[in-house]
Amino acid sequence: MDGPHHETGTGDRARDGARPTGHEAPGGGAVGTLPDDCRSTTTLRVNGVSHTLTVDNRRVLLDLLREDLDLVGAKKGCDHGQCGACTVLLDGRRVNSCLLPAVALDGREVTTVEGLPALAPPEDRADGADGGGPLHPLQRAFLDRDAFQCGYCTPGQLCSAVGAIGEAVAGHPSHVTDPAAPSGEPVPLTRAEIRERLSGNLCRCGAYPHIVEAVEDVLP
């Protein structure tokens, strides 16, 4: 797909006087001083916009999104791939962005919570509160069901739920899917299926019942 293309990276930031990335190399040097063999150029398409960046080979997708692209919806929780707060969609599938080296994702399509409204047909998008931008129907359902309390886990829950619905429609089974279910056919998302498929996303506030209800509200 064609679309806007942004050229960014540590070198560009230095020339433009933009804020530093805040990352330091071993020994205290800035990323920009790393040897060339410690950095790589990668191009990611994020929420429909292409970005080319030169990054530390150790930089994970979550840090790139939050610190290089200012997309702070995905949250850093455990930073070990166990809480799900950093969940985003990679080529439509759910991933823990805190575990994925950005340089390994060259050419991939990333959708964060900020990009979810664009995944819904225009006629299905809901209005945000107080004149805010359009919302994905699941974001509206989370509001209507009060499916969050502190809200820290909500972006990951939303991305995970959108991914889970897509996986069920595509016929991907979960651990609770009936083994006799026809292979490749859409899997009905019962409450047990929703709970199982979202079990990798933790909510310390305990809003799970409302989250399940919100997902049920938008099932096809």
Side-chain angles (χ1 to χ4, degrees), residues 8 12 44 72 87 119 137 174 200:
T8 55
D12 293 324
L44 298 175
V72 296
T87 303
L119 298 184
S174 77

Side-chain angles (χ1 to χ4, degrees), residues 28-164:
V31 165
T33 64
L34 284 173
D36 288 343
D37 60 359
C38 294
R39 297 179 297 161
S40 298
T41 298
T42 185
T43 298
L44 298 175
R45 191 170 176 82
V46 182
N47 298 336
V49 180
S50 185
H51 300 270
T52 298
L53 306 98
T54 300
V55 298
D56 185 331
N57 291 341
R58 301 161 298 181
R59 197 158 183 75
V60 296
L61 176 60
L62 177 61
D63 291 339
L64 181 147
L65 292 171
R66 291 181 56 84
E67 298 177 15
D68 292 334
L69 302 184
D70 293 327
L71 294 169
V72 296
K75 297 297 188 289
K76 180 171 287 192
C78 67
D79 208 20
H80 287 77
Q82 297 180 351
C83 74
C86 66
T87 303
V88 299
L89 301 175
L90 181 66
D91 295 336
R93 300 297 300 272
R94 299 175 286 165
V95 296
N96 290 318
S97 61
C98 71
L99 297 180
L100 299 178
V103 296
L105 307 177
D106 187 54
R108 308 290 293 275
E109 181 94 19
V110 178
T111 302
T112 69
V113 68
E114 292 92 342
L116 287 184
L119 298 184
E123 62 272 19
D124 291 340
R125 297 173 195 165
D127 293 331
D130 300 326
L135 299 177
H136 187 281
L138 186 60
Q139 291 174 305
R140 182 72 256 172
F142 265 61
L143 290 170
D144 293 342
R145 292 288 187 175
D146 194 18
F148 53 87
Q149 290 182 27
C150 84
Y152 196 82
C153 72
T154 304
Q157 298 275 7
L158 287 163
C159 286
S160 185
V162 169

